[in-house]
Amino acid sequence: MSMKLRDLIRKVRACKTAAEERAVIAKESAMIRTAIREEQEHYRHRNVAKLLFMHMLGYPTHFGQLECMKLTASPHFPEKRIGYLGMMLLLSEEADVLMLATNSLKNDLNADNKFVAGLALCAIGNLATADMSRDLAPEVDKHLKSPMPYLRKKACLAMVRCLAKCPDMVEDFVDRIVTLLKDKSHGVLITVAQLMTQVLMIDYRNAEEDDEDPFSTQCRASFLRLVPTLVKMLRNLLSSGFSPDHDVGGISDPFLQVQLLTLLRLLGVNNEKASEAMNDVLAQVATNTETSKNAGNAILYECVQTIMGVESEDGLRVLAVNILGRFLLNRDNNIRYVALNTLARCTVQQQQSGRGSTVPADDGGNSASSALQRHRQTVVDCLKDPDISIRMRALELIYHLVNHENVETLTAELLNYLVLCPREHRGDICTRVLRVVERYSPNDRWRVDTLITMLTIAGRESTRDVQSACAVYISRAAEDIHAYATHKLLKAIRDDDGTQRGLLAVGIWCIGEYGDLLLQPYSYTAPNEVGPDGMDSLSSPVTITFMALEPINVVDTVHEVMSRLSCPLDVKHRALTCFAKLSDRFRDKGDAAALEKLHTLIKKHESSHSLELQLRSCEYDALINATKGIAKAPKVNSDDIFGVENGAPPTVTAAVVQAAKEALARMPMVDLKVLEKKQATSESFGADGDSVSTPAAVGTKSGGGDLLDFDMLGGGEASAAPQQNGGLFDSKPAAQGDAGKSDMDLLSEIFAAQPAPAPAAGGYDPFSAPPAQQQAAAAPVVVNPLDLFGATPAPAPQPAAPAAVNPMDLFGAPPIQQQQQQQPSSASDLFGAQPTPAAPAPAPQSSSITVPGPNHSGLSIEFECVKPDQWNKQKSTLLAKFTNQTNAPIVGLSLQVAVPKYVTLEMQPPTSTTVPPSGNNNKQVTQTINVTNSMLGTKNLMLKLKLGFTANGVKIDHMATQSGFPAGEY
């Protein structure tokens, strides 16, 4: 026997474990399925009620959907009510069985019992699909004219659903909606306001889809004529006395007031006439509504939304901001959150529309901006709230409150919050602080001071963009700021425990660039602060003094940072760059011990496990030696690594010395306009597929804005490789091309990473095809750009008989016979050895073979097989050639190929799907197939072909196996 609903509830509540509950539900579900299968009609309503309870607990109840359909067709009201309730809860609008209920709904809509019709209207309002809406809209429209308010309000809600599913029916019901506003029932008026709101939103979307003006549609014009009526209704609600039927917390029908305010906001957007008509009633709502109860707060919130959304007066906007300011003092966190969110949104809207964008904070003007600034301290106090959502909303609002007058105060509050905020939020806050400082900074010293403080607090979480921007702002400042920033960063690095990665990166970069300024004392007297009355404060000015440091102390500080086990690898890279720069800064200071230690620290990493450290160490060592005019003599019985003839002393040209000194000199000031232009140029090159590498491309690889990246400042991951053409150590370009170059060109040559140089003519590149045959003309001798000491290579003799170079001779040993042509020196000859002037032998021409394919119904195929790469024997290219041997064209050509697992296949589409008859100079149809046989020599190539085409109006499919490829080659 079926269990009653109350008994099932008792048994479920008596379960002590989830397993017991699942067992009870499973047993009862089985009994319900048995009852459904046996068509036990007298227990149908009880079973559906139990299914509703199971659905509330989260168990599957889909097997009872048809039972709900059967109950809706029952003539008894209790069963019909359970059926409709089950249909609205257990079914969704995607359910296919929902279409079965259309006829029952239509019958119930025409029922004499208003409660039955009400059930049908509720079901339509919750589940109606587009097709159901079209079929049932006339019946719903009849109930909009019903004499019973009970049916009219339900019909309005059902019509909302119908119009949402079928927007094209909106224009047909506009006039009906207008007449419903004269209804005396508050319930009907609430639903009519909701219906009008929905119609306006649907009409707006329809106009946008049709590329029309959404604010000048016929539907909107009809509703705009009702603005005086809506205003009168709202005023009557405010002035009406106590009504027990509609009073909530001492306020007359707050639900209707909220709906009317929402409707007025939609009608007043971009319409000054309608906005002017509702200004008075909005002021009345804002001033006469009580805030002691939540109902009053809801009305005030909607009133503020309406004031900020329509074309209201400045006085009303000030009133709205003051209401939100009172919300900020409320103890309820929900109200405070709403106030902060609304203030931030209103501030953004005002800035976008130009309202109050230039109003100072203390002008005392009657504007929303000035009123918002008066609540600034209340917003700042929200940063101390224990609720994280309140703090984040307050933080977002503070960003929008910053202007030139309060930037110092609010930035200090942001830095204070940066100390306490969760670590995962610090990166975003650092980026926001950078934007604030960039836009509203009063002077360079304050900007640098703020950025250094930010890095001291959250250098670990700051992004590469923030670090790069800090370095750029310091480099663009005056010499006095350079000294101040370098002294302060050195002190911050000494006080840090090594965890603030961003501080270390920026500080070490500054020490390397401006380390000579640390050897001089620095003193700065801050000006008196201006008080609120415009007079200077009476407190004595503060003097900031930094003592002069010895060169060895500066070196020890950077060395200590680099020697920590926790020091990141990129900081070590910048520390090596710093040592190289300091060797140039301290050259004339007379401290030989510091210079010797710098050189030792640089050479220490020549055998480092890190390739980047090893490369930097070798290059910086060569740079420092080049600035001194020193060249290491080659070891006895060793290769001549500098390209100098045996027995001749190594020499360094003056051009190389000058270029090396320029590389270690201070970085030129960054011209942001030139940088943006170079970035745009590099992007255009990248779009065209050009492989040219530009400095702007290096600077933008971190994806950060318009500021210079550390890679372009000489401290990034990319090595400072010399340029191949006109490079840093090429004596001729250095002597000829430096005079006409800009600062950005110099920066490009020194620090931009260039693409890998092309292999030498006689070298062996295992990842490329054999080079093409060289021309017979003699090539000029080019200086090796990696030869740091500028030694001129000796010209090679010119024997008469050319000979091919052994491609496996990696060290370039001279062959027995030399080629007549004189080849340029290899850019990749790292040791500067005498280049091998011989040219490679001409590349052998890859021979093709033809393998016949299938021939069926007048269409024949043959495969032309070639090896595209001589060094990769496994890869083959098969060119399938189709020949039509009939007199009529063959259409719908389709070739499908299957291969074994040891073969990889890549097919291109055929040149045409129509094969013309052979002859008559018709172009042959071909299709390219690339295959790679990974078991070449063990297994031969084999293809499974499926050919499809239409010949003489007959569709033909043919399958064949293609073999016969030369064994061991394919």
Side-chain angles (χ1 to χ4, degrees):
M1 182 178 178
S2 178
M3 184 188 305
K4 293 183 179 180
L5 176 61
R6 67 183 65 181
D7 296 334
L8 176 62
I9 295 174
R10 288 196 188 100
K11 291 189 67 173
V12 170
R13 297 185 62 183
C15 295
K16 296 182 179 180
T17 62
E20 292 181 16
E21 178 182 305
R22 287 195 295 269
V24 171
I25 296 298
K27 182 178 179 180
E28 189 60 29
S29 297
M31 296 180 65
I32 293 175
R33 281 194 291 268
T34 302
I36 294 174
R37 188 165 52 251
E38 296 177 357
E39 294 289 341
Q40 299 178 4
E41 298 183 3
H42 51 287
Y43 291 134
R44 183 172 290 160
H45 67 285
R46 179 189 295 180
N47 292 335
V48 172
K50 288 187 288 187
L51 287 176
L52 292 176
F53 177 68
M54 295 178 188
H55 176 75
M56 293 170 57
L57 296 179
Y59 292 97
T61 56
H62 57 278
F63 53 87
Q65 293 178 352
L66 282 176
E67 295 297 292
C68 298
M69 299 290 103
K70 294 176 182 178
L71 285 177
T72 56
S74 174
H76 306 292
F77 179 76
E79 295 181 355
K80 190 180 291 289
R81 182 174 59 180
I82 292 293
Y84 275 113
L85 181 60
M87 186 173 66
M88 287 185 284
L89 293 179
L90 304 184
L91 275 73
S92 64
E93 59 178 309
E94 290 83 11
D96 295 334
V97 299
L98 192 60
M99 293 301 298
L100 301 177
T102 304
N103 190 44
S104 297
L105 288 171
K106 183 174 293 188
N107 294 333
D108 290 339
L109 286 174
N110 296 323
D112 296 333
N113 191 336
K114 68 174 183 179
F115 298 107
V116 174
L119 288 175
L121 290 171
C122 287
I124 294 173
N126 284 277
L127 291 175
T129 62
D131 295 334
M132 293 174 63
S133 299
R134 294 184 185 276
D135 294 339
L136 300 177
E139 280 72 18
V140 175
D141 182 40
K142 293 178 183 178
H143 288 291
L144 289 176
K145 299 176 289 186
S146 174
M148 291 178 286
Y150 176 83
L151 292 179
R152 290 201 301 272
K153 66 181 182 181
K154 289 184 178 295
C156 288
L157 295 178
M159 186 58 67
V160 170
R161 175 81 178 192
C162 294
L163 296 182
K165 293 298 178 181
C166 299
D168 54 332
M169 298 192 303
V170 167
E171 297 180 359
D172 300 334
F173 294 93
V174 171
D175 296 335
R176 181 77 63 209
I177 294 171
V178 171
T179 58
L180 287 172
L181 274 180
K182 303 176 182 179
D183 205 295
K184 301 298 182 181
S185 173
H186 282 217
V188 176
L189 291 177
I190 291 175
T191 56
V192 170
Q194 292 178 346
L195 180 56
M196 292 179 65
T197 302
Q198 186 70 22
V199 168
L200 283 174
M201 296 172 64
I202 294 173
D203 183 69
Y204 185 89
R205 290 194 296 265
N206 291 342
E208 284 188 335
E209 293 175 359
D210 298 338
D211 294 332
E212 300 177 357
D213 185 8
F215 299 105
S216 60
T217 60
Q218 183 178 0
C219 174
R220 186 179 180 85
S222 301
F223 284 173
L224 283 174
R225 291 194 291 267
L226 301 175
V227 171
T229 305
L230 297 173
V231 170
K232 182 179 179 181
M233 291 171 56
L234 186 57
R235 186 175 287 111
N236 291 337
L237 287 174
L238 294 175
S239 59
S240 63
F242 175 76
S243 175
D245 294 337
H246 310 120
D247 186 83
V248 178
I251 298 176
S252 178
D253 204 346
F255 300 100
L256 181 56
Q257 291 191 45
V258 168
Q259 289 296 333
L260 291 176
L261 288 170
T262 303
L263 184 56
L264 288 175
R265 181 175 76 248
L266 294 177
L267 293 173
V269 175
N270 291 342
N271 193 306
E272 294 184 359
K273 183 178 179 181
S275 300
E276 185 178 357
M278 63 183 73
N279 277 340
D280 293 340
V281 71
L282 291 177
Q284 188 176 354
V285 171
T287 54
N288 295 340
T289 304
E290 293 289 336
T291 59
S292 57
K293 298 295 179 64
N294 207 30
N297 291 329
I299 294 175
L300 287 177
Y301 171 71
E302 199 61 41
C303 181
V304 170
Q305 293 276 75
T306 304
I307 291 174
M308 294 299 183
V310 303
E311 305 295 325
S312 57
E313 301 173 350
D314 287 338
L316 272 179
R317 293 181 176 270
V318 172
L319 184 59
V321 171
N322 290 336
I323 291 174
L324 295 176
R326 291 202 304 269
F327 281 179
L328 292 177
L329 301 176
N330 200 301
R331 294 181 180 180
D332 190 353
N333 278 355
N334 294 326
I335 296 178
R336 297 169 67 193
Y337 181 89
V338 165
L340 290 170
N341 204 17
T342 307
L343 282 173
R345 188 166 62 250
C346 295
T347 305
V348 173
Q349 291 176 356
Q350 288 184 358
Q351 292 176 353
Q352 292 177 351
S353 61
R355 291 176 179 267
S357 58
T358 59
V359 179
D362 53 353
D363 63 344
N366 188 22
S367 66
S369 298
S370 59
L372 187 57
Q373 293 293 342
R374 285 195 288 270
H375 299 284
R376 185 178 62 206
Q377 189 58 42
T378 307
V379 176
V380 171
D381 291 340
C382 292
L383 290 176
K384 306 171 186 177
D385 195 276
D387 191 342
I388 181 63
S389 61
I390 298 294
R391 295 201 303 269
M392 295 305 295
R393 291 294 93 195
L395 192 65
E396 184 72 24
L397 180 56
I398 287 176
Y399 294 142
H400 300 302
L401 290 179
V402 178
N403 55 29
H404 291 285
E405 284 72 24
N406 59 23
V407 60
E408 298 184 26
T409 303
L410 291 184
T411 305
E413 295 293 343
L414 292 176
L415 294 178
N416 292 336
Y417 178 69
L418 192 60
V419 180
L420 305 174
C421 73
R423 181 167 296 178
E424 59 270 16
H425 298 158
R426 289 186 176 181
D428 179 64
I429 296 176
C430 289
T431 304
R432 297 295 187 97
V433 171
L434 176 64
R435 294 176 183 173
V436 168
V437 169
E438 179 183 5
R439 183 174 182 182
Y440 299 107
S441 176
N443 52 69
D444 290 341
R445 187 182 301 275
W446 181 86
R447 177 190 289 120
V448 170
D449 221 348
T450 302
L451 294 177
I452 293 176
T453 304
M454 180 186 68
L455 292 176
T456 306
I457 298 172
R460 183 192 300 108
E461 293 80 18
S462 62
T463 62
R464 283 285 297 273
D465 298 336
V466 174
Q467 299 170 25
S468 302
C470 294
V472 169
Y473 285 133
I474 294 174
S475 67
R476 291 176 59 84
E479 187 76 9
D480 183 59
I481 305 298
H482 292 167
Y484 173 72
T486 309
H487 275 284
K488 189 164 184 177
L489 283 169
L490 181 68
K491 182 179 183 302
I493 289 176
R494 286 179 172 177
D495 297 338
D496 185 58
D497 58 355
T499 59
Q500 304 297 346
R501 180 174 178 175
L503 175 66
L504 299 178
V506 178
I508 289 176
W509 181 86
C510 285
I511 292 173
E513 289 291 328
Y514 313 110
D516 52 330
L517 301 179
L518 296 172
L519 309 183
Q520 304 172 5
Y522 180 82
S523 180
Y524 167 71
T525 302
N528 292 335
E529 297 182 358
V530 179
D533 55 354
M535 303 295 293
D536 291 345
S537 61
L538 300 178
S539 60
S540 58
V542 179
T543 301
I544 302 174
T545 303
F546 294 101
M547 302 298 294
L549 300 176
E550 294 296 330
I552 193 66
N553 296 335
V554 178
V555 177
D556 289 341
T557 300
V558 181
H559 182 216
E560 181 182 356
V561 172
M562 190 178 183
S563 302
R564 290 172 179 160
L565 296 177
S566 60
C567 181
L569 193 59
D570 59 340
V571 175
K572 291 183 179 180
H573 298 165
R574 295 189 179 100
L576 272 183
T577 306
C578 177
F579 291 151
K581 294 270 188 174
L582 289 179
S583 64
D584 180 73
R585 307 296 183 268
F586 297 160
R587 185 189 308 121
D588 301 330
K589 305 305 178 183
D591 195 336
L595 293 176
E596 183 64 25
K597 185 171 183 178
L598 284 171
H599 204 171
T600 303
L601 291 173
I602 292 175
K603 296 175 62 178
K604 177 181 176 181
H605 298 277
E606 286 183 346
S607 57
S608 173
H609 293 292
S610 171
L611 181 60
E612 181 69 20
L613 283 176
Q614 186 183 135
L615 181 62
R616 287 174 183 256
S617 177
C618 296
E619 291 179 347
Y620 294 155
D621 181 32
L623 270 177
I624 295 173
N625 289 331
T627 57
K628 300 176 183 178
I630 300 175
K632 294 181 180 179
K635 296 181 180 180
V636 180
N637 298 327
S638 63
D639 293 334
D640 187 8
I641 64 174
F642 296 108
V644 184
E645 295 180 359
N646 292 333
T651 59
V652 178
T653 62
V656 172
V657 174
Q658 180 63 25
K661 289 182 178 180
E662 291 179 0
L664 294 177
R666 285 189 184 178
M667 189 192 75
M669 181 180 296
V670 179
D671 190 343
L672 297 182
K673 295 182 179 180
V674 175
L675 178 61
E676 292 174 356
K677 183 178 179 181
K678 283 183 174 290
Q679 289 176 346
T681 304
S682 67
E683 291 175 359
S684 63
F685 279 145
D688 296 337
D690 201 329
S691 61
V692 177
S693 175
T694 61
V698 178
T700 58
K701 72 177 183 179
S702 61
D706 56 353
L707 295 177
L708 197 64
D709 195 7
F710 259 125
D711 292 343
M712 293 187 63
L713 300 181
E717 301 297 332
S719 60
Q723 297 187 10
Q724 185 173 353
N725 298 323
L728 175 62
F729 303 110
D730 193 350
S731 58
K732 293 181 180 179
Q736 298 175 2
D738 291 344
K741 295 181 180 179
S742 65
D743 293 342
M744 288 303 300
D745 293 332
L746 178 60
L747 196 65
S748 304
E749 291 187 359
I750 296 176
F751 297 110
Q754 296 297 325
Y764 172 69
D765 186 359
F767 301 101
S768 65
Q773 184 175 4
Q774 303 292 331
Q775 295 181 358
V781 177
V782 181
V783 179
N784 182 7
L786 287 181
D787 186 2
L788 301 181
F789 300 97
T792 305
Q798 300 181 2
V805 178
N806 181 9
M808 296 304 295
D809 188 2
L810 300 181
F811 299 98
I816 296 175
Q817 295 180 344
Q818 301 289 341
Q819 177 130 355
Q820 287 185 347
Q821 296 95 334
Q822 176 62 39
Q823 299 293 337
S825 177
S826 170
S828 61
D829 187 5
L830 299 180
F831 301 100
Q834 179 68 32
T836 304
Q845 299 295 330
S846 58
S847 60
S848 63
I849 63 172
T850 301
V851 178
N855 188 345
H856 184 73
S857 299
L859 180 66
S860 62
I861 307 176
E862 63 179 10
F863 296 92
E864 182 179 332
C865 310
V866 295
K867 294 289 185 181
D869 300 322
Q870 294 298 326
W871 54 272
N872 189 355
K873 299 297 184 181
Q874 296 180 348
K875 184 176 181 180
S876 307
T877 298
L878 312 180
L879 184 64
K881 299 181 178 180
F882 301 89
T883 303
N884 183 2
Q885 301 174 355
T886 65
N887 296 326
I890 293 177
V891 297
L893 176 65
S894 171
L895 176 63
Q896 300 180 20
V897 182
V899 293
K901 293 183 178 179
Y902 59 86
V903 178
T904 58
L905 172 71
E906 180 182 0
M907 293 185 63
Q908 298 181 4
T911 57
S912 175
T913 58
T914 300
V915 184
S918 59
N920 300 327
N921 296 325
N922 290 327
K923 188 175 181 181
Q924 190 172 27
V925 178
T926 61
Q927 185 170 5
T928 303
I929 305 172
N930 296 319
V931 293
T932 302
N933 187 356
S934 60
M935 301 183 67
L936 183 65
T938 304
K939 294 185 178 181
N940 294 334
L941 178 63
M942 182 178 297
L943 307 178
K944 191 75 171 180
L945 307 178
K946 183 178 180 181
L947 187 63
F949 58 92
T950 301
N952 298 322
V954 179
K955 183 71 173 67
I956 300 173
D957 290 324
H958 177 66
M959 297 184 66
T961 300
Q962 177 66 35
S963 58
F965 298 100
E969 297 183 13
Y970 291 88

